[in-house]
Amino acid sequence: MTDETSAPTPAAGPREPLPTETEVLAEARRRSRRAFIGLGLAGLAGLGGWNWLSSQPNESGIPRPLRKVLDANGRLSSAYFKETRLAPEFARSRARTPRVNGKVGLDQALDPAAWRLQVQGYGSGKVQEFTLADVQALPKIQMTTELKCIEGWSVVVHWAGARLSDFLARYPLATRSGQPADPLNPPADLAPYVGMRTPDGAYYVGLDMHSALHPQTLLCYEMNGQPLTPAHGAPLRLVTPLKYGIKHLKRIGTIAFADTRPKDYWAELGYDWDAGH
């Protein structure tokens, strides 16, 4: 009998000859042409897409398709928002002074004695003026939270001021009927939006009323135990830790209430209006 396990191994077939240098160069040129054509077609498609995007009507400062994408992001952030959801707080020892990251609206010299907060009543349009002392007479709230920038950096800061909800409870200007703006039981005629501007009108932000009445949204007058400096928004700035720093308007000059979303400086430059995180 023949033992199949001991059968001789068949001889290997002849090896394929290695390509010549001329053949290698020809294949490289062929692949380079293919890649160049592919990149060219991709570039043309991108250019066509950009031309189409640029031809679309603007909405709040940017082409409408981009605004729709940003609004979708804003809806996700808004759905995640809850009055009971608080930004994390930290030990005060971790507080640091944030960088001065934006001076729009702060060009004019500040006269603290002459500064007034002007608030336009919802529906009536009547403007009332308040001094810093009026704000400081409200319960003082202190918190140490993280200021987050859309540029990617963050810093822990100790803030002190009055809740915007306490201000609107004491001065009921956000309802047509004059009822206090109770965040736990909001009146039916409460304004859905609030807008704020610097005294010169150069910088402006908008907030939905739920965010404005959040317990951590402050009319802030102190940072790290000291009065605000002009570069950081003296005498009064907005602090709302569930939003990126672009919403933390420095040197509040006017507050007004609206039925539709107020204009927002960075939303007009291509960021989502909600700016939550």
PDB file of all heavy atoms in Angstrom, residues 64-81:
ATOM      1  N   ARG A  64     -29.763  79.915   4.978  1.00  0.00           N
ATOM      2  CA  ARG A  64     -30.843  79.205   5.661  1.00  0.00           C
ATOM      3  C   ARG A  64     -30.521  77.735   5.950  1.00  0.00           C
ATOM      4  O   ARG A  64     -30.837  77.242   7.044  1.00  0.00           O
ATOM      5  CB  ARG A  64     -32.130  79.315   4.841  1.00  0.00           C
ATOM      6  CG  ARG A  64     -33.351  78.668   5.503  1.00  0.00           C
ATOM      7  CD  ARG A  64     -34.590  78.912   4.687  1.00  0.00           C
ATOM      8  NE  ARG A  64     -34.929  80.339   4.647  1.00  0.00           N
ATOM      9  CZ  ARG A  64     -35.771  80.880   3.763  1.00  0.00           C
ATOM     10  NH1 ARG A  64     -36.327  80.101   2.845  1.00  0.00           N
ATOM     11  NH2 ARG A  64     -36.041  82.167   3.807  1.00  0.00           N
ATOM     12  N   PRO A  65     -29.885  76.973   5.016  1.00  0.00           N
ATOM     13  CA  PRO A  65     -29.583  75.568   5.353  1.00  0.00           C
ATOM     14  C   PRO A  65     -28.684  75.438   6.578  1.00  0.00           C
ATOM     15  O   PRO A  65     -28.883  74.543   7.404  1.00  0.00           O
ATOM     16  CB  PRO A  65     -28.892  75.043   4.083  1.00  0.00           C
ATOM     17  CG  PRO A  65     -29.430  75.913   2.988  1.00  0.00           C
ATOM     18  CD  PRO A  65     -29.569  77.271   3.601  1.00  0.00           C
ATOM     19  N   LEU A  66     -27.682  76.306   6.703  1.00  0.00           N
ATOM     20  CA  LEU A  66     -26.828  76.255   7.887  1.00  0.00           C
ATOM     21  C   LEU A  66     -27.616  76.615   9.139  1.00  0.00           C
ATOM     22  O   LEU A  66     -27.431  76.014  10.206  1.00  0.00           O
ATOM     23  CB  LEU A  66     -25.648  77.224   7.725  1.00  0.00           C
ATOM     24  CG  LEU A  66     -24.561  76.834   6.730  1.00  0.00           C
ATOM     25  CD1 LEU A  66     -23.476  77.892   6.703  1.00  0.00           C
ATOM     26  CD2 LEU A  66     -23.961  75.478   7.082  1.00  0.00           C
ATOM     27  N   ARG A  67     -28.491  77.595   9.018  1.00  0.00           N
ATOM     28  CA  ARG A  67     -29.295  77.990  10.170  1.00  0.00           C
ATOM     29  C   ARG A  67     -30.201  76.831  10.626  1.00  0.00           C
ATOM     30  O   ARG A  67     -30.391  76.616  11.822  1.00  0.00           O
ATOM     31  CB  ARG A  67     -30.136  79.221   9.817  1.00  0.00           C
ATOM     32  CG  ARG A  67     -31.078  79.689  10.908  1.00  0.00           C
ATOM     33  CD  ARG A  67     -30.368  79.996  12.211  1.00  0.00           C
ATOM     34  NE  ARG A  67     -29.379  81.041  12.037  1.00  0.00           N
ATOM     35  CZ  ARG A  67     -28.336  81.216  12.849  1.00  0.00           C
ATOM     36  NH1 ARG A  67     -28.156  80.400  13.879  1.00  0.00           N
ATOM     37  NH2 ARG A  67     -27.468  82.194  12.644  1.00  0.00           N
ATOM     38  N   LYS A  68     -30.704  76.048   9.658  1.00  0.00           N
ATOM     39  CA  LYS A  68     -31.552  74.917  10.024  1.00  0.00           C
ATOM     40  C   LYS A  68     -30.762  73.871  10.815  1.00  0.00           C
ATOM     41  O   LYS A  68     -31.268  73.275  11.773  1.00  0.00           O
ATOM     42  CB  LYS A  68     -32.175  74.298   8.764  1.00  0.00           C
ATOM     43  CG  LYS A  68     -33.256  75.157   8.119  1.00  0.00           C
ATOM     44  CD  LYS A  68     -33.882  74.456   6.943  1.00  0.00           C
ATOM     45  CE  LYS A  68     -35.006  75.283   6.319  1.00  0.00           C
ATOM     46  NZ  LYS A  68     -36.119  75.520   7.267  1.00  0.00           N
ATOM     47  N   VAL A  69     -29.516  73.643  10.402  1.00  0.00           N
ATOM     48  CA  VAL A  69     -28.676  72.689  11.133  1.00  0.00           C
ATOM     49  C   VAL A  69     -28.397  73.201  12.544  1.00  0.00           C
ATOM     50  O   VAL A  69     -28.495  72.456  13.525  1.00  0.00           O
ATOM     51  CB  VAL A  69     -27.351  72.455  10.379  1.00  0.00           C
ATOM     52  CG1 VAL A  69     -26.397  71.610  11.220  1.00  0.00           C
ATOM     53  CG2 VAL A  69     -27.616  71.760   9.046  1.00  0.00           C
ATOM     54  N   LEU A  70     -28.060  74.484  12.661  1.00  0.00           N
ATOM     55  CA  LEU A  70     -27.784  75.063  13.970  1.00  0.00           C
ATOM     56  C   LEU A  70     -29.033  75.058  14.849  1.00  0.00           C
ATOM     57  O   LEU A  70     -28.947  74.819  16.058  1.00  0.00           O
ATOM     58  CB  LEU A  70     -27.251  76.488  13.811  1.00  0.00           C
ATOM     59  CG  LEU A  70     -25.856  76.596  13.172  1.00  0.00           C
ATOM     60  CD1 LEU A  70     -25.517  78.050  12.905  1.00  0.00           C
ATOM     61  CD2 LEU A  70     -24.801  75.968  14.068  1.00  0.00           C
ATOM     62  N   ASP A  71     -30.176  75.325  14.250  1.00  0.00           N
ATOM     63  CA  ASP A  71     -31.422  75.288  15.023  1.00  0.00           C
ATOM     64  C   ASP A  71     -31.716  73.870  15.512  1.00  0.00           C
ATOM     65  O   ASP A  71     -32.260  73.691  16.615  1.00  0.00           O
ATOM     66  CB  ASP A  71     -32.584  75.810  14.182  1.00  0.00           C
ATOM     67  CG  ASP A  71     -32.578  77.330  14.067  1.00  0.00           C
ATOM     68  OD1 ASP A  71     -31.827  77.977  14.820  1.00  0.00           O
ATOM     69  OD2 ASP A  71     -33.323  77.859  13.219  1.00  0.00           O
ATOM     70  N   ALA A  72     -31.362  72.875  14.709  1.00  0.00           N
ATOM     71  CA  ALA A  72     -31.543  71.487  15.153  1.00  0.00           C
ATOM     72  C   ALA A  72     -30.664  71.206  16.366  1.00  0.00           C
ATOM     73  O   ALA A  72     -31.093  70.561  17.331  1.00  0.00           O
ATOM     74  CB  ALA A  72     -31.220  70.525  14.013  1.00  0.00           C
ATOM     75  N   ASN A  73     -29.421  71.709  16.338  1.00  0.00           N
ATOM     76  CA  ASN A  73     -28.549  71.568  17.502  1.00  0.00           C
ATOM     77  C   ASN A  73     -29.155  72.274  18.709  1.00  0.00           C
ATOM     78  O   ASN A  73     -29.102  71.769  19.838  1.00  0.00           O
ATOM     79  CB  ASN A  73     -27.165  72.156  17.205  1.00  0.00           C
ATOM     80  CG  ASN A  73     -26.389  71.331  16.209  1.00  0.00           C
ATOM     81  OD1 ASN A  73     -26.675  70.154  16.011  1.00  0.00           O
ATOM     82  ND2 ASN A  73     -25.415  71.944  15.571  1.00  0.00           N
ATOM     83  N   GLY A  74     -29.719  73.448  18.480  1.00  0.00           N
ATOM     84  CA  GLY A  74     -30.331  74.202  19.560  1.00  0.00           C
ATOM     85  C   GLY A  74     -31.520  73.476  20.161  1.00  0.00           C
ATOM     86  O   GLY A  74     -31.730  73.507  21.376  1.00  0.00           O
ATOM     87  N   ARG A  75     -32.299  72.801  19.304  1.00  0.00           N
ATOM     88  CA  ARG A  75     -33.456  72.054  19.816  1.00  0.00           C
ATOM     89  C   ARG A  75     -33.012  70.890  20.699  1.00  0.00           C
ATOM     90  O   ARG A  75     -33.657  70.574  21.705  1.00  0.00           O
ATOM     91  CB  ARG A  75     -34.321  71.560  18.651  1.00  0.00           C
ATOM     92  CG  ARG A  75     -35.147  72.665  18.001  1.00  0.00           C
ATOM     93  CD  ARG A  75     -36.191  72.082  17.073  1.00  0.00           C
ATOM     94  NE  ARG A  75     -35.602  71.416  15.926  1.00  0.00           N
ATOM     95  CZ  ARG A  75     -35.286  72.016  14.791  1.00  0.00           C
ATOM     96  NH1 ARG A  75     -35.491  73.321  14.658  1.00  0.00           N
ATOM     97  NH2 ARG A  75     -34.768  71.339  13.781  1.00  0.00           N
ATOM     98  N   LEU A  76     -31.901  70.254  20.332  1.00  0.00           N
ATOM     99  CA  LEU A  76     -31.370  69.180  21.171  1.00  0.00           C
ATOM    100  C   LEU A  76     -30.948  69.726  22.535  1.00  0.00           C
ATOM    101  O   LEU A  76     -31.243  69.141  23.576  1.00  0.00           O
ATOM    102  CB  LEU A  76     -30.180  68.515  20.473  1.00  0.00           C
ATOM    103  CG  LEU A  76     -30.489  67.619  19.284  1.00  0.00           C
ATOM    104  CD1 LEU A  76     -29.207  67.132  18.640  1.00  0.00           C
ATOM    105  CD2 LEU A  76     -31.330  66.421  19.722  1.00  0.00           C
ATOM    106  N   SER A  77     -30.249  70.853  22.515  1.00  0.00           N
ATOM    107  CA  SER A  77     -29.817  71.472  23.765  1.00  0.00           C
ATOM    108  C   SER A  77     -31.011  71.895  24.598  1.00  0.00           C
ATOM    109  O   SER A  77     -31.035  71.718  25.820  1.00  0.00           O
ATOM    110  CB  SER A  77     -28.917  72.683  23.458  1.00  0.00           C
ATOM    111  OG  SER A  77     -28.564  73.362  24.636  1.00  0.00           O
ATOM    112  N   SER A  78     -32.027  72.459  23.942  1.00  0.00           N
ATOM    113  CA  SER A  78     -33.221  72.908  24.657  1.00  0.00           C
ATOM    114  C   SER A  78     -33.968  71.726  25.262  1.00  0.00           C
ATOM    115  O   SER A  78     -34.489  71.803  26.383  1.00  0.00           O
ATOM    116  CB  SER A  78     -34.137  73.684  23.710  1.00  0.00           C
ATOM    117  OG  SER A  78     -35.298  74.117  24.364  1.00  0.00           O
ATOM    118  N   ALA A  79     -34.027  70.602  24.534  1.00  0.00           N
ATOM    119  CA  ALA A  79     -34.711  69.423  25.060  1.00  0.00           C
ATOM    120  C   ALA A  79     -33.987  68.868  26.277  1.00  0.00           C
ATOM    121  O   ALA A  79     -34.607  68.292  27.183  1.00  0.00           O
ATOM    122  CB  ALA A  79     -34.810  68.356  23.968  1.00  0.00           C
ATOM    123  N   TYR A  80     -32.680  69.036  26.321  1.00  0.00           N
ATOM    124  CA  TYR A  80     -31.876  68.539  27.433  1.00  0.00           C
ATOM    125  C   TYR A  80     -31.991  69.458  28.647  1.00  0.00           C
ATOM    126  O   TYR A  80     -31.744  69.042  29.772  1.00  0.00           O
ATOM    127  CB  TYR A  80     -30.416  68.429  26.977  1.00  0.00           C
ATOM    128  CG  TYR A  80     -29.469  67.838  27.982  1.00  0.00           C
ATOM    129  CD1 TYR A  80     -29.706  66.585  28.551  1.00  0.00           C
ATOM    130  CD2 TYR A  80     -28.317  68.525  28.353  1.00  0.00           C
ATOM    131  CE1 TYR A  80     -28.827  66.047  29.466  1.00  0.00           C
ATOM    132  CE2 TYR A  80     -27.437  67.982  29.278  1.00  0.00           C
ATOM    133  CZ  TYR A  80     -27.694  66.739  29.822  1.00  0.00           C
ATOM    134  OH  TYR A  80     -26.830  66.211  30.739  1.00  0.00           O
ATOM    135  N   PHE A  81     -32.389  70.708  28.416  1.00  0.00           N
ATOM    136  CA  PHE A  81     -32.444  71.696  29.490  1.00  0.00           C
ATOM    137  C   PHE A  81     -33.604  71.407  30.445  1.00  0.00           C
ATOM    138  O   PHE A  81     -34.702  71.064  30.037  1.00  0.00           O
ATOM    139  CB  PHE A  81     -32.613  73.098  28.895  1.00  0.00           C
ATOM    140  CG  PHE A  81     -32.771  74.182  29.929  1.00  0.00           C
ATOM    141  CD1 PHE A  81     -31.662  74.801  30.469  1.00  0.00           C
ATOM    142  CD2 PHE A  81     -34.028  74.565  30.365  1.00  0.00           C
ATOM    143  CE1 PHE A  81     -31.799  75.790  31.425  1.00  0.00           C
ATOM    144  CE2 PHE A  81     -34.178  75.549  31.319  1.00  0.00           C
ATOM    145  CZ  PHE A  81     -33.060  76.171  31.846  1.00  0.00           C
TER     146      PHE A  81
END
